[in-house]
Amino acid sequence: MQPRDLSAHTVYRAGRGVDEVARELGMDPDDLVKLASNENMYGPSPAAVEAIREGADRMHSYPKASHADLVEAIAEQWSVEGEQVWLGNGGDGVLDYLARAMLEPGDAVLAPEPGFAYYPMSARFHHGTVGTYKLSKADDFAQTPDVVLDSYDGERIVYVTSPHNPTGSEMTNEDVVELAERTDEETLILVDEAYGEFTENPSAADLLDERDDVAVLRTFSKVYGLAGVRLGYGLVPEAWADAYARINTPFAASELACRAGLAALDDDEHVERTVETARWAREYYHEHLDAPTWDSGGNFVLCEVGDATAVADAAEREGVIVRDCTSFGLPECVRVTCGTREDAETAVETINEVLAE
Ligand SMILES: *Cc1c(COP(=O)(O)O)cnc(C)c1O
């Protein structure tokens, strides 16, 4: 026997891991600077680490109370009802829930190109078809309603990433509203704010009171440093928030994830330090990398280096792992995550040396 026809499905290519690269190069992982996956330069929230230690002896029980507590804390943070908070196994899990709630077999979605690889994957898992809208390098990857609408053809979900991975560009809330106004009533504008904490622009969550066709995605993977825990959430309009109960996987987020998330939400010091350092590093990259970079609202900067694969490989041999953006359709660009001051300085020095060769 065989699985169903998966020929349209692609394989997710993650940034290379420290252990993987260290093993390959015969290096000590501690000597490597990993700036390839937009992870938190300071590691996890210390409060979350503590909460996981303390929660370890409770992991025989299903996460009921901890799930409820976390939903309540998130709802309070955003001034929404608990029902409007859709917890998931990472932001990726939330993308799945939204696809599951929205898509009938054969429904289409519209995703940015270049863009986050999991949007089309998730849509296809849910028997959807995928169209794309193009963000143009010549326009600095500007995200305007017209750029999206040029390719729009009544799709059920339109994915907007703001700040956008891997380019760093953003869409303002005014433009999200215009886009929502100019698309069909049954089209959901899904604003992915995985990097929302790093920008100064307001969250599209501000629109949830007035609109039933905008939803927001947030994650604990980036600013809270909990990528390994797998925890994210959607914020959805009240009008259809009750759909979650019908489509979610029982116990969407684990006991340890919920405890960690709850602790991380309160760890202002870790968040502030992370955001401040990321903003500093963005500027540092703009000023000191000997190659064109783009303004970024995220914890990373896109940099045009010529042959991205060659540059990423050469930097890696020198101990600095950056993201080759060839798989994003940008074979001339690398994406460099904002590290600590020391990481950022090492990265700039190494990349500039590689570029000079
Ligand atoms: C990292 C990221 C996510 C979410 O990742 P999870 O680890 O699954 O929470 C979502 N969208 C974009 C654009 C991302 O870069």
Side-chain angles (χ1 to χ4, degrees):
M1 63 155 283
Q2 287 292 318
R4 68 183 170 105
D5 179 9
L6 298 174
S7 53
H9 293 236
T10 48
V11 177
Y12 184 82
R13 292 195 194 290
R16 311 226 312 138
V18 170
D19 294 325
E20 178 191 353
V21 173
R23 221 170 288 150
E24 224 174 87
L25 298 175
M27 285 171 72
D28 184 337
D30 291 340
D31 293 338
L32 290 169
V33 177
K34 192 197 173 193
L35 301 172
S37 298
N38 299 340
E39 291 153 340
N40 191 306
M41 73 284 271
Y42 292 124
S45 149
V49 173
E50 188 54 33
I52 287 186
R53 285 216 175 90
E54 278 177 12
D57 59 7
R58 273 196 301 252
M59 64 179 140
H60 60 292
S61 66
Y62 283 109
K64 262 195 99 177
S66 59
H67 188 285
D69 290 350
L70 179 56
V71 163
E72 192 185 316
I74 293 170
E76 192 175 320
Q77 181 186 346
W78 293 103
S79 308
V80 296
E81 297 299 318
E83 219 180 28
Q84 293 174 263
V85 177
W86 290 21
L87 284 191
N89 187 250
D92 296 348
V94 178
L95 289 172
D96 283 343
Y97 287 158
L98 286 163
R100 215 185 271 179
M102 290 296 147
L103 300 182
E104 298 283 359
D107 277 354
V109 305
L110 193 65
E113 189 187 310
F116 188 55
Y118 198 64
Y119 306 141
M121 292 173 70
S122 174
R124 288 190 180 109
F125 295 159
H126 295 87
H127 306 275
T129 64
V130 181
T132 58
Y133 60 94
K134 189 119 184 85
L135 301 181
S136 145
K137 192 165 84 172
D139 285 336
D140 293 330
F141 307 104
Q143 301 197 66
T144 63
D146 283 330
V147 162
V148 180
L149 290 164
D150 273 351
S151 303
Y152 173 74
D153 187 23
E155 281 83 356
R156 180 72 157 132
I157 303 176
V158 173
Y159 299 95
V160 171
T161 323
S162 186
H164 179 264
N165 177 12
T167 69
S169 73
E170 301 183 60
M171 186 181 282
T172 62
N173 278 355
E174 291 71 36
D175 281 349
V176 172
V177 168
E178 184 183 332
L179 180 59
E181 290 286 337
R182 291 171 64 192
T183 48
D184 295 349
E185 229 166 83
E186 295 302 318
T187 292
L188 174 69
I189 311 298
L190 172 45
V191 186
D192 179 347
E193 297 182 343
Y195 302 97
E197 292 85 357
F198 297 102
T199 174
E200 279 157 36
N201 288 330
S203 167
D206 291 352
L207 308 176
L208 293 177
D209 274 348
E210 27 180 299
R211 305 205 64 93
D212 69 358
D213 56 355
V214 172
V216 176
L217 179 83
R218 310 280 295 204
T219 178
F220 284 83
S221 293
K222 309 285 160 52
V223 83
Y224 296 109
L226 298 180
V229 162
R230 313 304 304 133
L231 183 65
Y233 59 94
L235 298 171
V236 310
E238 214 172 349
W240 46 269
D242 60 349
Y244 182 69
R246 296 173 190 273
I247 53 90
N248 83 337
T249 309
F251 310 108
S254 79
E255 172 72 16
L256 296 182
C258 291
R259 296 271 165 219
L262 207 49
L265 275 184
D266 267 342
D267 193 346
D268 294 336
E269 193 186 324
H270 183 258
V271 169
E272 280 162 24
R273 193 157 86 110
T274 301
V275 170
E276 199 177 296
T277 307
R279 289 180 181 165
W280 170 86
R282 286 192 313 225
E283 289 316 305
Y284 187 81
Y285 291 154
H286 290 318
E287 272 174 41
H288 297 283
L289 280 169
D290 294 334
T293 54
W294 281 268
D295 282 341
S296 171
N299 66 341
F300 54 84
V301 164
L302 188 74
C303 177
E304 182 159 22
V305 293
D307 182 343
T309 305
V311 169
D313 284 351
E316 189 175 289
R317 285 193 294 273
E318 301 301 319
V320 173
I321 315 172
V322 297
R323 180 69 190 257
D324 171 2
C325 290
T326 301
S327 70
F328 283 102
L330 296 170
E332 65 290 358
C333 294
V334 296
R335 188 193 66 198
V336 190
T337 300
C338 294
T340 60
R341 284 169 192 250
E342 198 186 345
D343 290 346
E345 284 163 11
T346 307
V348 164
E349 199 178 310
T350 303
I351 293 168
N352 286 349
E353 264 170 34
V354 167
L355 289 171
E357 272 160 20

